[in-house]
Amino acid sequence: MKRPALIFDFGNVVAHFDYRKAAGRLGIKLGISGEELLERLRPLGFSDLLKSYESGKISAEQFSEGVGRLIGLEVTHDEFSVAWADIFTANPSVAELIAGLKGAGYTLVLGSNTNDLHAAQFRRQFAETLGHFDRLVLSYEVGHIKPSAAFYLACAEAAGAEPGDCVFIDDLAENVDGARAAGLVGLLYTTTETLRADLAALGVEPS
Ligand SMILES: [Mg+2]
């Protein structure tokens, strides 16, 4: 492999997230816990609704209306947006690794299944770390979601590299498999220590 381009998943790699935070805020309005709200949403087709939203097929307004309809929740779009967006916390060891990789001159691309409300939140909240990335490939903008091959090919194109010269790092095995199927090198993120070792094995070292 040539000096590879490095593509990072966002959620639970660059930063952590927890949907229970959003569910907790919405659950209060129904008098139930966040856990109960998520339990209720699961069999009602929430993941299909989220998929439509994160592949850019429906707008934030349609998504919040859709969630409200699923669970019988009446909130304004603004109330929903505030509750929905703030779910992220830092992953400092990965932030440090990213800064080091940028310092060593690697091309860095973010490859995230996400939506406009979350992206607006995380771009603000993690502006410093995301500033090290050359490009952000966001599912709702490109119209493809992991693990579809088109998503990974869009990431390689954004990196200006052949798929075989790209390393895709993700915490979900399904997404790593998808990257490999599209011809990229896939690395499963478990701990930052393991990731550093896996990158070193490919000859990739931060500054
Ligand atoms: Mg993830």
Side-chain angles (χ1 to χ4, degrees):
M1 201 197 306
K2 291 196 300 197
R3 181 182 174 83
L6 307 175
I7 307 165
F8 281 79
D9 171 35
F10 184 77
N12 289 337
V13 180
V14 175
H16 298 293
F17 72 97
D18 189 349
Y19 272 119
R20 284 173 303 183
K21 287 172 105 180
R25 292 185 206 106
L26 294 170
I28 287 170
K29 298 179 191 295
L30 292 167
I32 60 173
S33 71
E35 302 273 359
E36 275 177 272
L37 181 70
L38 288 175
E39 278 303 306
R40 251 188 228 189
L41 277 169
R42 223 162 268 140
L44 295 175
F46 174 69
S47 67
D48 286 342
L49 186 65
L50 183 62
K51 226 175 252 180
S52 295
Y53 182 30
E54 299 208 320
S55 57
K57 292 192 180 78
I58 62 171
S59 67
E61 286 78 8
Q62 288 171 307
F63 178 70
S64 66
E65 267 172 42
V67 173
R69 212 176 311 119
L70 284 182
I71 52 175
L73 174 69
E74 283 187 30
V75 288
T76 66
H77 180 63
D78 285 349
E79 284 177 306
F80 178 86
S81 301
V82 169
W84 171 256
D86 183 13
I87 60 168
F88 302 102
T89 50
N91 187 359
S93 61
V94 170
E96 188 192 329
L97 173 62
I98 285 165
L101 292 167
K102 188 67 203 171
Y106 284 96
T107 297
L108 301 178
V109 170
L110 192 80
S112 175
N113 280 357
T114 190
N115 56 78
D116 51 356
L117 293 174
H118 282 159
Q121 169 77 28
F122 70 60
R123 292 178 84 146
R124 209 170 35 239
Q125 191 176 348
F126 303 102
E128 189 186 341
T129 296
L130 294 177
H132 296 309
F133 285 82
D134 298 283
R135 295 281 298 276
L136 308 186
V137 175
L138 308 175
S139 61
Y140 74 95
E141 288 183 343
V142 298
H144 302 290
I145 57 176
K146 291 176 273 186
S148 83
F151 181 87
Y152 303 97
L153 299 179
C155 291
E157 198 185 326
E162 292 299 319
D165 294 321
C166 294
V167 177
F168 198 100
I169 300 149
D170 202 292
D171 65 300
L172 295 179
E174 187 191 12
N175 292 344
V176 174
D177 291 345
R180 290 176 182 154
L184 291 75
V185 175
L187 293 182
L188 182 68
Y189 177 76
T190 50
T191 68
T192 306
E193 204 169 86
T194 312
L195 175 59
R196 281 179 180 272
D198 289 345
L199 288 171
L202 296 171
V204 175
E205 301 274 3
S207 62

